[in-house]
Amino acid sequence: MDVILFGPPGAGKGTQAAAVCEALSIPHVSTGDIFRRHLKEGTPLGLLAKSFMDKGELVPDSVVCDIVASRLAEADCQGGALLDGFPRTVAQAEMLYSWLDGQGREIGTVINLQVEGSMLVPRLSGRRTCLGCGATFHVSHNPPKKLGVCDRCSGDVVQRNDDLEETVRLRLYTYERETAPVLAWLKPKGTVYTIDGSKSIAQVQLAILGALGI
Ligand code: AP5
Ligand code: MG
Ligand code: ZN
């Protein structure tokens, strides 16, 4: 089953992804993580993506859609995948649904994590991310056991470039303008569960797994 994890920057998509993927035995496909991996490896795609990410803007649809289609065609995604951070524009949603349709696949569920705007800036500006495995922490809500060291892989835990407060505000603006309208497009297509993402990490996880019938 393919599942979309939808919500604004800082809603908790990345935080909740691991539990969902484990419960459904599907891989986590995060377009943001794919771009950051390319950037780490210094590929042309990584550098292109960085020029948009650092400004809080979206990477162009044509680039993103090709990457997602080739990722979803890989062997480990044949039983479905958890899409985190995609689709982010109506054009991406149209491409995704028509591509899946062509493969005889469909989106089973959309989980919409709803969090009040005033909570998002403190969540993102306090976030710290592992350079090794991408795990996310928060300076006060969810700190790593040892300062600057990942609990999961012992990698370096740092602040993402686009988590500086000024860039966070630009990302939230981009979300309202380009991504929020995707929800209205998704609703008539199937099951959209809206979940209160402002509760604790454990409570949100329970609500998501409940919505997925796990
Ligand atoms: P991406 O990496 O997808 O970033 P994003 O959507 O802005 O979302 P975030 O990763 O910032 O938030 P999240 O919901 O995962 O929150 P998290 O769980 O980490 O994209 C980055 C950039 O790449 C984009 O700006 C764009 O340029 C480009 N891009 C990516 N996809 C694209 C696409 N499809 N098209 C075009 N461009 C694209 O949680 C945040 C913090 O809050 C953490 O510190 C966490 O510990 C804390 N937290 C989480 N849940 C809770 C809770 N319940 N209570 C308290 N704290 C919590
Ligand atoms: Mg994320
Ligand atoms: Zn790590």
Side-chain angles (χ1 to χ4, degrees):
M1 172 169 75
D2 289 284
V3 175
I4 295 174
L5 200 45
F6 190 86
K13 303 182 295 295
T15 303
Q16 299 295 340
V20 177
C21 289
E22 195 181 323
L24 294 175
S25 299
I26 53 175
H28 178 205
V29 174
S30 153
T31 39
D33 286 351
I34 293 174
F35 294 140
R36 281 184 288 277
R37 213 154 36 235
H38 274 271
L39 182 59
K40 204 170 140 194
E41 287 162 12
T43 70
L45 171 65
L47 294 171
L48 174 82
K50 180 180 161 57
S51 67
F52 294 95
M53 291 164 87
D54 284 354
K55 288 187 286 188
E57 290 173 8
L58 296 182
V59 177
D61 289 337
S62 55
V63 176
V64 187
C65 287
D66 280 355
I67 286 166
V68 173
S70 42
R71 179 68 187 94
L72 291 181
E74 285 178 34
D76 63 330
C77 293
Q78 292 315 299
L82 178 69
L83 289 161
D84 160 359
F86 183 91
R88 252 175 152 98
T89 62
V90 170
Q92 290 179 15
E94 284 168 348
M95 168 270 155
L96 174 67
Y97 277 68
S98 93
W99 188 88
L100 287 173
D101 194 41
Q103 305 287 315
R105 281 163 69 170
E106 59 180 7
I107 294 294
T109 309
V110 176
I111 300 288
N112 172 37
L113 284 181
Q114 202 170 51
V115 177
E116 207 191 300
S118 62
M119 295 182 86
L120 299 173
V121 174
R123 276 194 187 182
L124 290 170
S125 44
R127 173 167 63 184
R128 297 295 180 268
T129 305
C130 172
L131 283 178
C133 71
T136 53
F137 301 92
H138 190 278
V139 285
S140 42
H141 308 306
N142 181 25
K145 291 194 180 73
K146 194 169 159 210
L147 188 71
V149 181
C150 178
D151 294 350
R152 220 199 272 170
C153 77
S154 302
D156 288 336
V157 172
V158 301
Q159 186 169 36
R160 245 168 70 175
N161 265 351
D162 60 346
D163 279 348
L164 300 172
E165 188 163 334
E166 200 181 298
T167 319
V168 164
R169 292 192 188 279
L170 294 172
R171 286 162 59 200
L172 293 173
Y173 177 65
T174 300
Y175 174 82
E176 285 307 325
R177 203 186 49 214
E178 299 190 54
T179 306
V182 177
L183 194 60
W185 189 95
L186 290 169
K187 277 186 176 156
K189 300 270 170 203
T191 324
V192 175
Y193 286 102
T194 292
I195 292 196
D196 181 0
S198 61
K199 300 243 169 68
S200 73
I201 293 175
Q203 284 171 311
V204 175
Q205 181 179 320
L206 271 180
I208 295 177
L209 296 181
L212 290 167
I214 302 163

